[in-house]
Structure formats: C-alpha cells, structure tokens
Amino acid sequence: MKRAAALLATIAFPAVSWCFAHLQAPAASFDAARAYEHVRHLVEIGPRPPASDGIHRAQEYIIGQLKSYGCPVEEHDFHASTVLGSLLMQNIVVKLHGAGSGIILYTTHYDTVRIPNFVGADDGGSGTGTMLELARLWCARKNSLNVWIAFFDGEEAQGNWTDAGSVRWNNDASNNTFGSREMAAQMALSGELKHVKAMILADMIGPKNARITRDTGSTRWLTDFIWETAAQLGYQNTFVNKDYPVGGDDHFSFIRRGVAGCDLIDFSVRDTYWHTTQDTLDKVDPQSLAIVGQVLAATLPRFEKKFP
Ligand SMILES: [Zn+2]
C-alpha cells in the first residue's frame, strides 16, 4: 500500500508539473542548432550566385522552411541590370502584422559571390540560417509591432570573378546590393518605407569567437540600442565597443533613404577566408549564431517598448 502510494505520487507529480509548464507556455528561445543546420544545408547546395541552379534550390529551401513554420511568405521577383546583363532575382519577404503601423525590418542576404566553388558558409549562410530561426520564433509570436524579415538576393557584386581580389576592386555600389535597393525603392513607392522604425542586417556573423564591431556607417542610436541589448545579455565580448567602417552593404540601401539601419558583421575575416573557397562550414561556429540570434531575439520586445 505504502509502495503503491509512493508510486502514485511519482506518477502524479510529473503529470502536475507538466500541466503547469504547459499552462505557463514558456516562450520558445533561439535554437542555434537549428540555425546551424540551415547553414549546413545551404553549404551542401553549393555555390548560390543570382540566377543559378544553386540559388533556385536555396530559394526552395528557404521558402519551404518558412512555410513549415506557418510564416506568410512573399516572393518578390525582379530583373536586375548587372554587368552580366539582366538577371532574374528574388527577394523573399515575411511580413508579420502587429497592432500599429511601425515596422521593424530584419534582413540578410542569401546569394553568394560568383567565384568558382565558393559555398559561402559565413558570407551568405550564417545570416540566412540565423534569420530562418528567428522567423520560426516570430511567426509563432504575438508581435505588437509589424515585423518583417527579408532575405535579399544579389547583395554581392556581379561579375565572373576568379578570386577575392577581382571582386574587391570591382565592388561598385551600382553593381551590388540589388535586392535591398529594389526593396527600399518599392517600399518608398508604396509609402511603407516611412513606417520603418529600424532596419537590421546580419551578414557574416558566424566566425568562432566572433567580434562584431560598430559599423561607423550605421545609424548611431540603433547601434547603441543593439549593443546595449547585447551587454544586458552579457555578450560584450562579441558585440565589442570598437568602431569599424564596413563600407558597402545592404543597410545603406535604406540609410540613404532616411531609414535607421545597422549592419552586424565580423569583418575581421576580410584578410583570411572572405570571398575565398575557404569560406566553408568549419568557419561557422553555432555559438556565434546563438549569441547573435539571442541578441536579435531580445531586440524585438525592447523595440515594442520603445515604439508602443
Ligand atoms: Zn560577400
């Protein structure tokens, strides 16, 4: 009898605590293993330059994942006039509706630079994997602001490059950032651009012991806001208080039009594997994806307080 009662207690107790946990419905948190798995899958596809078989497979993968989370997905096709001629590109955009008119725009690019055998684990992969995992969280969340997540095509300079040097010296702003320029122009036309409170870009955030410096071309208050969020979580060693000018990237397509923008990037790799065939999966550390993902996840409730 005593034994039976004890047995009953051990059965009943977990059942009660499970019910309790279920009622409290703890918020899902950023899962770096999932983000890393996305990077692994993208790398496995191989090179993903605009208008290639590889990028079409990447589009299929990104859209399939987003739909599996119940996200509303928009495919924005456009023709980009490049030095290689007109290329069909596609931005993939998730628009989650909040109560007011303010929009927070989280972005990355999913194309890779057109260098033979370049698979872009960090450059293209790390930001895409992180945004896919954030989409899983936010598509299931009740957001009070409008949250848009954009995956840009055509960030990289177009050309049939042979190595990093040839890209570097031909990186003209009229021949790169096609996706972000297209989206910013469309949003200006539709009148939506003026509702964007902040545009955040994640690009090359995957290196081991990532050191994300403060891009001096990004909007000051927004950079402060993100770095404060990181410091609150104890990630000052990743979001370091050091200025660095990034130069051309997708955030400028919005900053040029008066939108607050910030680029999260560890550009210390520019003299190692950046734009080389060494940008492989081993360069991406799930821990870096975890830190950046957690910081970005924590910015959203803070934005909701800032822009009620
Ligand atoms: Zn690049």
Side-chain angles (χ1 to χ4, degrees):
M1 183 67 197
K2 203 174 173 186
R3 191 188 159 94
L7 190 66
L8 194 66
T10 55
I11 294 167
F13 189 71
V16 167
S17 62
W18 178 83
C19 276
F20 211 54
H22 185 70
L23 284 173
Q24 285 178 330
S29 57
F30 188 89
D31 185 344
R34 283 175 175 268
Y36 185 76
E37 182 58 20
H38 295 313
V39 182
R40 194 193 60 74
H41 191 95
L42 291 163
V43 166
E44 205 172 78
I45 289 172
R48 308 176 296 284
S52 67
D53 287 349
I55 204 161
H56 294 149
R57 289 179 61 198
Q59 287 159 356
E60 215 173 289
Y61 178 74
I62 292 166
I63 292 164
Q65 290 298 308
L66 293 171
K67 286 187 173 167
S68 77
Y69 310 143
C71 301
V73 186
E74 296 183 14
E75 299 170 45
H76 296 181
D77 292 334
F78 61 99
H79 290 276
S81 177
T82 80
V83 296
L84 297 176
S86 175
L87 297 178
L88 180 61
M89 298 191 185
Q90 182 181 78
N91 289 333
I92 301 169
V93 186
V94 171
K95 297 180 184 173
L96 302 172
H97 296 291
S101 60
I103 300 167
I104 308 292
L105 179 55
Y106 293 88
T107 69
T108 189
H109 77 88
Y110 72 95
D111 65 307
T112 56
V113 70
R114 202 180 299 272
I115 289 173
N117 303 314
F118 178 88
V119 295
D122 189 23
D123 194 358
S126 63
T128 305
T130 301
M131 286 301 158
L132 276 173
E133 172 57 3
L134 286 169
R136 185 183 70 86
L137 301 183
W138 290 337
C139 291
R141 181 180 183 269
K142 197 157 175 55
N143 306 303
S144 60
L145 280 162
N146 296 285
V147 179
W148 290 18
I149 306 163
F151 299 83
F152 296 130
D153 198 345
E155 185 275 333
E156 299 289 359
Q158 296 306 301
N160 286 309
W161 314 117
T162 48
D163 55 28
S166 61
V167 191
R168 198 180 294 207
W169 308 126
N170 290 283
N171 216 341
D172 183 88
S174 66
N175 192 41
N176 64 23
T177 60
F178 290 97
S180 55
R181 286 190 286 128
E182 172 73 17
M183 184 169 179
Q186 287 299 331
M187 289 180 75
L189 276 177
S190 68
E192 294 162 311
L193 197 69
K194 62 178 180 288
H195 296 299
V196 179
K197 302 288 187 189
M199 181 274 192
I200 301 174
L201 168 65
D203 187 10
M204 297 167 64
I205 43 95
K208 190 173 171 61
N209 300 320
R211 279 174 58 84
I212 297 166
T213 43
R214 296 170 55 106
D215 166 41
T216 51
S218 292
T219 305
R220 183 67 183 266
W221 75 259
L222 182 55
T223 308
D224 289 343
F225 182 88
I226 297 167
W227 262 247
E228 279 161 23
T229 310
Q232 283 173 5
L233 295 174
Y235 295 136
Q236 301 93 322
N237 294 337
T238 305
F239 286 75
V240 295
N241 264 322
K242 188 178 168 232
D243 288 344
Y244 185 89
V246 170
D249 211 340
D250 284 319
H251 58 319
F252 288 118
S253 306
F254 288 81
I255 290 174
R256 273 197 298 268
R257 291 176 181 270
V259 174
C262 183
D263 191 5
L264 305 182
I265 184 167
D266 178 349
F267 212 13
S268 64
V269 303
R270 67 177 297 160
D271 297 317
T272 55
Y273 63 77
W274 180 53
H275 285 179
T276 78
T277 52
Q278 298 306 303
D279 185 353
T280 42
L281 190 60
D282 54 299
K283 304 303 186 302
V284 172
D285 185 351
Q287 181 61 21
S288 298
L289 304 183
I291 292 170
V292 175
Q294 284 169 33
V295 169
L296 289 176
T299 56
L300 184 52
R302 289 191 71 219
F303 277 129
E304 289 174 340
K305 274 204 191 107
K306 188 176 173 68
F307 302 108

